[in-house]
Amino acid sequence: MAAAVAAPAPSRKTETYTDTKRRDDVRGANIAAARAVADAVRTSLGPRGMDKMICSGDQEVIITNDGATIVSRMSLIQPAARMLAELSRSQDAAAGDGTTTVVVLAGSLLRRAQSLLSAGAHPTAAADALHRLATRAIEILHAMAIPIELSDRESLVKSASTALNSKVVSQYSTLLSPLAVDAALSVVDPAHPDLLDLRDIRIVKKLGGTVDDTELVRGLIFDKKASHAAGGPTRVENAKIAVIQFQISPPKTDIEQSVIVSDYAQMDRILREERNYILGMVKKIKAAGCNVLLIQKSILRDAVTELSLHYLAKAKIMVVKDVERDEIEFITKTLNCLPIANIEHFRTDKLGYADLVEEVSVGEGKVVKITGIRDMGRTATVLVRGSNQLVIDEAERSLHDALCVIRCLVNKRFLIAGGGAPEIEMSMQLAAWAKELQGMESYCIKEFADALEVIPYTLAENAGLNPISIVTELRNRHARGEKNTGINVRKGQITNILEENVVQPLLVSTSAITLACECVRMILKIDDIVTVR
């Protein structure tokens, strides 16, 4: 009789069911919220993009198509949506331009990521593929880039014009572009040629006139009047200028208290002492040869009184009061002088010198202009004019973007074609590279490569063209090796975009790709939201 065969022992390794529905729901909700932000700003992309009217609770109205401004003003509650607002802010800090592009790009990558997850791809695999794609995309952009020199002013003006062409004030780009280039180049220090600090360029806004009246001033402008008390001077030639941080007014007690004087003789004595105190200060200022006084705004007590202004007017000293505390550094750097914190330190060697300081009428008000500064520091001032406050604010934002473009070119001296050309070239080369890879990575990179086509597609859509036929023709031209072919929005067709002078700094494109991929990877890797009370 054959031995009975023992039944196999039950395996200890049993499959367990894990409910991933919550994780999928959280990931889906994050992607949906972030895509909603991207869809909101997508219509603002490009030279023919629409503008947004932003109304805040305190009746403030802003009209703009600057991506960073639009997203930063949105009241976003969902954390993933706020991540896209931070993304736009990061692009603004890194490059200054491309703030709409980076949000639209992130939205498109998230849409493709969602379809990958629905098809069964793991979020980590998609995130890793996105990291490799970003690295390869940067290499493709570098291969397309054209080196430039800062001495090539024409190329710099073209880059600034491209940044301004998508703005509300695009009709003034022929004026603002050279102005931005001249302002930026005037503050570049030869000792540090790769560094451009935009804090050295001050923008002063003044209502009245049109944007055509905007000018670059080789000197200083104060958006305030000179003091007219007691007939003080409003024009001084061969000016000796002092920037003071002390008050020309009677001292106060150290603690909050009232001193009651009931004796008339004592009152007369107090007033006499006050007059002598102020007169002594004015005499020291006059003895140093100073004839223009810039007085910092004071919070402890009045910086000047009617009596001190009277004595300064008698001494023929021009007074500009209420200079903001945060402007002092810029003013002293421009005038090449030192701020004076105490009357005892008032010396001739701390003064700045200029050919002319005068009060001039600008639009509906007056400004104080200082020109012909001796040994002027590396700074520049731009006086922005406009018919209403909305136009002036948008002109300032546009000018800031143009200055940031020049800063990008100072930091990284390469230009790249605009008009959707780099995105199509990256999309095609990355799709070809995906075929050489294997498995899930190949599938993910192919999907994300197609996502880059959203930029030319949106440019064509916002310009009223047929996006499908435009993008298809663009692909065909790039397949034939025409790397610099892009969408010419003005002509409504595809041309060599370099010949149309539509160029942008390499740093804008590389920064947009890197930041968008980083943001999408971060959103993909979130599988739960934990609320802490």
Side-chain angles (χ1 to χ4, degrees):
M1 185 178 170
V5 180
S11 173
R12 292 185 179 183
K13 293 182 179 178
T14 56
E15 292 185 3
T16 56
Y17 171 71
T18 305
D19 186 8
T20 60
K21 187 172 186 309
R22 174 170 169 76
R23 293 176 187 173
D24 294 342
D25 287 349
V26 166
R27 204 171 276 118
N30 284 345
I31 291 173
R35 280 183 57 195
V37 175
D39 291 341
V41 299
R42 189 178 158 187
T43 54
S44 299
L45 185 72
R48 295 287 187 269
M50 297 290 110
D51 303 328
K52 307 289 182 193
M53 180 180 277
I54 305 165
C55 305
S56 62
D58 57 354
Q59 305 300 313
E60 184 190 9
V61 177
I62 296 172
I63 298 174
T64 183
N65 62 0
D66 180 58
T69 306
I70 296 167
V71 176
S72 66
R73 296 280 176 162
M74 285 182 177
S75 298
L76 301 170
I77 299 169
Q78 217 276 351
R82 286 209 300 268
M83 284 174 70
L84 251 69
E86 292 294 331
L87 170 68
S88 184
R89 205 171 292 129
S90 299
Q91 175 72 6
D92 197 31
D97 196 20
T99 50
T100 309
T101 302
V102 73
V103 174
V104 171
L105 209 51
S108 181
L109 289 169
L110 284 167
R111 188 167 70 86
R112 297 289 176 160
Q114 198 164 30
S115 65
L116 284 170
L117 297 179
S118 303
H122 194 276
T124 304
D128 291 345
L130 201 54
H131 178 64
R132 286 199 67 185
L133 174 132
T135 309
R136 188 62 179 254
I138 300 300
E139 293 172 8
I140 295 166
L141 286 171
H142 276 279
M144 290 179 68
I146 306 156
I148 66 153
E149 291 297 326
L150 290 185
S151 55
D152 185 3
R153 185 174 179 274
E154 189 180 345
S155 294
L156 298 178
V157 171
K158 288 175 189 173
S159 305
S161 295
T162 304
L164 290 170
N165 281 340
S166 61
K167 305 297 179 188
V168 176
V169 292
S170 58
Q171 67 268 34
Y172 301 107
S173 62
T174 51
L175 165 74
L176 296 178
S177 304
L179 189 144
V181 171
D182 292 340
L185 293 182
S186 66
V187 303
V188 175
D189 189 351
H192 304 283
D194 297 332
L195 192 65
L196 173 59
D197 190 351
L198 293 185
R199 287 174 296 186
D200 291 337
I201 301 171
R202 186 158 160 259
I203 298 175
V204 178
K205 298 182 288 186
K206 196 67 181 172
L207 196 63
T210 63
V211 180
D212 280 322
D213 299 321
T214 299
E215 60 176 318
L216 175 64
V217 179
R218 302 288 183 187
L220 271 176
I221 285 186
F222 295 95
D223 186 13
K224 45 178 67 73
K225 298 177 184 178
S227 173
H228 289 229
T234 56
R235 176 188 167 91
V236 176
E237 294 182 4
N238 296 321
K240 296 179 180 123
I241 307 162
V243 181
I244 66 168
Q245 297 177 303
F246 57 87
Q247 297 87 15
I248 309 177
S249 60
K252 284 188 175 181
T253 52
D254 291 337
I255 56 175
E256 285 292 329
Q257 63 182 16
S258 301
V259 178
I260 300 171
V261 181
S262 55
D263 184 10
Y264 286 112
Q266 293 296 335
M267 288 169 64
D268 284 344
R269 186 180 168 193
I270 289 170
L271 292 171
R272 190 165 58 250
E273 288 293 332
E274 280 186 5
R275 283 198 298 272
N276 292 338
Y277 177 80
I278 293 170
L279 194 55
M281 294 178 85
V282 172
K283 283 179 178 176
K284 284 183 181 178
I285 292 168
K286 187 66 178 175
C290 170
N291 53 13
V292 176
L293 211 53
L294 307 178
I295 306 175
Q296 180 180 301
K297 184 183 275 188
S298 173
I299 55 172
L300 298 174
R301 65 177 197 257
D302 295 333
V304 284
T305 62
E306 290 297 323
L307 184 61
S308 56
L309 287 173
H310 169 77
Y311 284 140
L312 288 166
K314 292 294 181 190
K316 301 296 180 189
I317 297 173
M318 182 175 174
V319 178
V320 179
K321 56 184 181 179
D322 293 338
V323 174
E324 295 294 339
R325 191 179 297 267
D326 55 1
E327 293 179 4
I328 294 293
E329 186 181 350
F330 180 86
I331 292 166
T332 52
K333 184 175 182 179
T334 305
L335 293 172
N336 199 16
C337 66
L338 293 171
I340 304 168
N342 193 299
I343 188 66
E344 301 302 328
H345 303 151
F346 207 104
R347 297 193 304 272
T348 308
D349 58 343
K350 292 191 175 184
L351 304 182
Y353 299 88
D355 292 341
L356 180 63
V357 179
E358 63 176 335
E359 182 183 85
V360 292
S361 295
V362 174
E364 298 173 358
K366 293 185 176 182
V367 298
V368 174
K369 187 183 283 191
I370 302 177
T371 51
I373 299 169
R374 194 193 306 172
D375 300 326
M376 181 175 162
R378 290 193 171 275
T379 62
T381 303
V382 180
L383 179 63
V384 176
R385 306 284 303 283
S387 55
N388 60 60
Q389 199 61 44
L390 296 174
V391 172
I392 291 177
D393 290 342
E394 183 61 11
E396 183 196 17
R397 282 189 287 271
S398 304
L399 201 55
H400 172 74
D401 280 3
L403 289 168
C404 286
V405 164
I406 309 302
R407 185 185 65 185
C408 288
L409 291 171
V410 170
N411 294 345
K412 203 171 192 176
R413 297 177 187 184
F414 289 92
L415 281 174
I416 198 166
E423 285 79 16
I424 280 286
E425 185 66 24
M426 281 190 292
S427 177
M428 293 187 66
Q429 289 199 34
L430 289 167
W433 178 53
K435 291 176 183 176
E436 300 171 10
L437 303 172
Q438 293 180 342
M440 183 57 73
E441 189 175 49
S442 169
Y443 185 63
C444 290
I445 285 177
K446 174 69 176 72
E447 278 288 308
F448 288 134
D450 291 344
L452 299 179
E453 290 183 358
V454 71
I455 300 299
Y457 188 95
T458 307
L459 284 174
E461 195 174 47
N462 289 349
L465 308 173
N466 185 334
I468 295 172
S469 63
I470 287 285
V471 172
T472 305
E473 188 186 344
L474 203 52
R475 260 199 232 113
N476 292 337
R477 297 280 288 271
H478 276 258
R480 294 203 294 266
E482 299 177 27
K483 285 187 177 183
N484 295 320
T485 304
I487 301 169
N488 188 330
V489 173
R490 286 195 184 89
K491 294 180 180 176
Q493 61 190 39
I494 289 170
T495 58
N496 184 329
I497 216 73
L498 285 183
E499 293 175 0
E500 302 294 332
N501 299 329
V502 179
V503 288
Q504 64 188 31
L506 174 64
L507 189 61
V508 171
S509 294
T510 55
S511 173
I513 285 287
T514 307
L515 292 172
C517 289
E518 275 182 12
C519 182
V520 172
R521 287 181 67 216
M522 201 176 291
I523 290 173
L524 284 175
K525 289 195 150 190
I526 297 168
D527 70 346
D528 206 349
I529 297 175
V530 180
T531 306
V532 180
R533 296 189 183 279

